[in-house]
């Protein structure tokens, strides 16, 4: 016997949108105004008011990023006083959830690189935040030849391995900011390389002329190519093609690694953020179990970020691909280890991207019939 009644429950199926941290960066560098504060910055911000009228690496890199990012750019800035840059990044997490961090003060030794590696690990462990780093690297000194500079930089990155750290030599002056802005440009996806020529030439490089070394020799394209081979991310140019462009955003991933270019890191980091939120919602939810029906349903559930990121558009007959390829059957595998522990494997399939194009021409000199 039951008393007649009606109950209505409002269930949350976790089908809403999540906050996007992609294309939002934190810029860190020495300053004299608002030190120790995390400042929100966008295209309308007056950097002289926020960071002071004095010139600084932080202000110049922020301005270069703004100029290269295009519409709807915004970021965070953290002027450093006496605090360490790593402490500043950790403190900024209270108000700034970002995709990447740009250290604007040029480094010349391995310590900051290793600090960035440790910092990424700590951010993942403490906050579940996957963050990559752009570190400005000291440019050529007044008495330094290009050969000596190559030798010095070859030792700086030697024996270091980390897929989420990019080293950017400061040769023109604003390269870290230029690269950061190009990566945040909303005209392209996070899966696009900054080497994409159709994005346009680089803006606000910091110098109107090609840099010269200590011997007075202009910077050679071969020097930039050698730096790129040493895992540095550098600008470049094409003969008989106007403008400066980027090579590729190289990371310090080891030879043969899957993440030697930042665009692959950005894709996987984005999936990690989305899948983590989906997994949190399933804690102690018995609908996720080892029955065939549950496994099939949750393979679709955990593949949702891949389906969203794979959406493409066709404009005037031209296909604009999504960030990844559409998931296939078997790309999400659910394995129960015990009654209370489950492991989920997700396969991410990036699109191909031509960074080296070879064109073969053939001549047909045969006689045609009259």
């Amino acid at each position: 016997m039951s008393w007649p009644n009606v109950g209505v429950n409002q269930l949350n199926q976790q089908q809403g949108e999540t906050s996007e941290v992609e294309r939002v960066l934190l810029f860190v560098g020495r300053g004299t105004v608002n030190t120790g504060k995390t400042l929100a910055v966008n295209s309308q911000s007056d950097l002289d008011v926020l960071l002071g009228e004095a010139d600084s690496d932080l202000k110049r890199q922020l301005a270069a990023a703004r100029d290269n990012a295009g519409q709807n750019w915004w970021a965070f800035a953290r002027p450093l006083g006496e605090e360490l840059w790593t402490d500043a990044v950790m403190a900024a997490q209270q108000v700034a959830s970002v995709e990447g961090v740009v250290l604007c003060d040029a480094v010349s030794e391995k310590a900051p690189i290793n600090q960035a590696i440790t910092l990424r690990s700590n951010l993942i462990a403490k906050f579940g935040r996957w963050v990559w780093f752009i570190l400005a690297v000291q440019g050529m000194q007044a008495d330094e030849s290009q050969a000596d500079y190559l030798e010095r930089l070859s030792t700086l990155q030697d024996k270091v391995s980390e897929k989420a750290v990019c080293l950017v030599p400061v040769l023109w002056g604003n390269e870290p900011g230029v690269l950061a802005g190009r990566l945040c440009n909303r005209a392209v996806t996070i899966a696009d390389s900054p080497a994409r020529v159709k994005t346009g030439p680089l803006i606000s490089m910091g110098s109107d002329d090609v840099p010269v070394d200590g011997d007075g020799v202009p910077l050679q394209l071969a020097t930039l190519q050698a730096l790129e081979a040493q895992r540095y991310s550098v600008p470049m140019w094409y003969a008989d093609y106007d403008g400066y462009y980027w090579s590729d955003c190289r990371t310090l991933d080891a030879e043969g690694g899957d993440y030697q270019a930042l665009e692959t890191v950005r894709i996987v980091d984005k999936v990690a953020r989305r899948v983590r939120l989906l997994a949190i919602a399933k804690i102690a939810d018995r609908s996720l179990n080892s029955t065939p029906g549950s496994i099939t349903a949750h393979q679709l559930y955990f593949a949702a970020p891949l389906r969203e990121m794979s959406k493409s558009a066709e404009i005037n007959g031209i296909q604009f691909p999504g960030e990844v390829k559409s998931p296939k059957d078997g790309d999400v595998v659910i394995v129960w280890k015990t009654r209370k522990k489950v492991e989920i494997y997700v396969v991410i399939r990036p699109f191909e991207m031509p960074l080296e194009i070879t064109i073969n021409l053939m001549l047909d000199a045969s006689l045609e019939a009259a």
Side-chain angles (χ1 to χ4, degrees):
M1 183 73 67
S2 298
W3 189 265
N5 64 79
V6 174
V8 178
N9 298 314
Q10 295 181 332
L11 304 180
N12 191 336
Q13 299 299 306
Q14 301 294 322
Q15 300 176 52
E17 296 183 359
T18 58
S19 300
E20 183 182 79
V21 302
E22 288 76 30
R23 301 184 184 88
V24 181
L25 307 182
L26 171 65
F27 291 76
V28 179
R30 293 293 163 191
T32 56
V33 177
N34 286 321
T35 57
K37 297 180 180 180
T38 304
L39 310 173
V41 184
N42 65 15
S43 301
Q44 285 74 44
S45 298
D46 188 333
L47 298 182
D48 287 339
V49 172
L50 289 177
L51 303 174
E53 295 185 0
D55 182 43
S56 69
D57 290 332
L58 176 60
K59 190 163 72 170
R60 285 189 289 103
Q61 304 307 339
L62 268 171
R66 175 196 61 199
D67 296 341
N68 283 271
Q71 301 180 70
N72 300 318
W73 171 82
W74 73 288
F76 291 97
R78 181 88 178 192
L80 299 177
E82 298 298 324
E83 63 181 343
L84 299 175
W85 79 276
T86 51
D87 294 338
V89 172
M90 293 299 290
Q93 299 304 308
Q94 297 180 10
V95 296
S97 180
V98 297
E99 180 190 12
V101 173
V102 181
L103 179 59
C104 301
D105 300 323
V107 305
S108 58
E109 54 187 21
K110 278 190 169 69
I113 303 174
N114 290 322
Q115 290 167 359
I117 296 172
T118 302
L119 192 51
R120 175 176 167 93
S121 178
N122 289 339
L123 288 171
I124 295 173
K126 293 183 178 181
F127 303 105
R129 293 177 179 175
W130 285 261
V131 178
W132 44 263
F133 296 85
I134 290 176
L135 305 186
V137 174
Q138 188 181 69
M140 291 183 292
Q141 300 302 292
D143 58 348
E144 192 172 34
S145 68
Q146 294 177 56
D148 293 336
Y149 185 64
L150 280 174
E151 183 177 352
R152 177 160 65 91
L153 262 61
S154 67
T155 61
L156 180 62
Q157 55 80 38
D158 188 40
K159 305 303 181 185
V160 179
S161 177
E162 172 52 52
K163 66 180 181 181
V165 174
C166 306
L167 301 181
V168 182
V170 179
L171 298 168
W172 275 263
N174 294 342
E175 286 94 328
V178 170
L179 174 60
R182 201 165 176 86
L183 293 173
C184 294
N185 194 311
R186 295 181 182 274
V188 293
T189 73
I190 63 168
D192 283 289
S193 168
R196 185 177 184 268
V197 172
K198 281 189 175 180
T199 307
L202 306 179
I203 303 172
S204 300
M205 294 279 285
S207 174
D208 296 324
D209 301 314
V210 176
V212 296
D213 63 12
D215 296 331
V217 178
L219 180 65
Q220 301 295 299
L221 190 59
T223 301
L224 294 174
Q225 187 174 359
L227 286 170
E228 201 276 341
Q230 293 178 356
R231 304 187 298 173
Y232 289 92
S233 191
V234 294
M236 64 168 295
W237 64 86
Y238 299 94
D240 300 325
Y241 198 97
D242 294 330
Y244 292 106
Y245 300 88
W246 209 265
S247 53
D248 197 11
C249 193
R250 286 295 303 272
T251 71
L252 295 180
D253 192 16
E255 288 292 326
D258 292 337
Y259 304 99
Q260 297 183 58
L262 187 63
E263 57 266 19
T264 55
V265 177
R266 299 181 79 190
I267 292 170
V268 176
D269 280 357
K270 181 174 180 177
V271 175
R273 297 183 192 106
R274 302 300 193 273
V275 171
R276 175 179 176 269
L277 296 177
L278 294 177
I280 290 173
K282 286 297 175 179
I283 292 292
D285 182 354
R286 289 194 304 122
S287 69
L288 174 56
N289 55 59
S290 62
T291 62
S294 175
I295 288 179
T296 299
H298 285 88
Q299 284 174 331
L300 293 173
Y301 175 78
F302 285 107
L306 301 180
R307 292 195 300 272
E308 177 187 342
M309 293 171 64
S310 68
K311 290 180 180 179
S312 60
E314 185 172 323
I315 303 175
N316 198 26
I318 300 176
Q319 190 77 15
F320 290 84
E323 295 165 340
V324 297
K325 294 180 181 179
S326 298
K328 300 179 180 179
D329 290 341
D331 282 357
V332 178
V333 176
I334 301 175
V335 179
W336 281 91
K337 309 298 286 188
T338 69
R339 288 184 62 253
K340 295 189 176 181
K341 293 183 180 180
V342 63
E343 292 184 356
I344 300 169
Y345 299 85
V346 180
V347 176
I348 303 167
R349 303 180 188 276
F351 279 95
E352 298 77 18
M353 181 167 46
L355 283 178
E356 183 175 332
I357 300 176
T358 301
I359 300 175
N360 300 294
L361 306 178
M362 293 173 287
L363 181 65
D364 183 359
S366 61
L367 295 177
E368 294 191 15

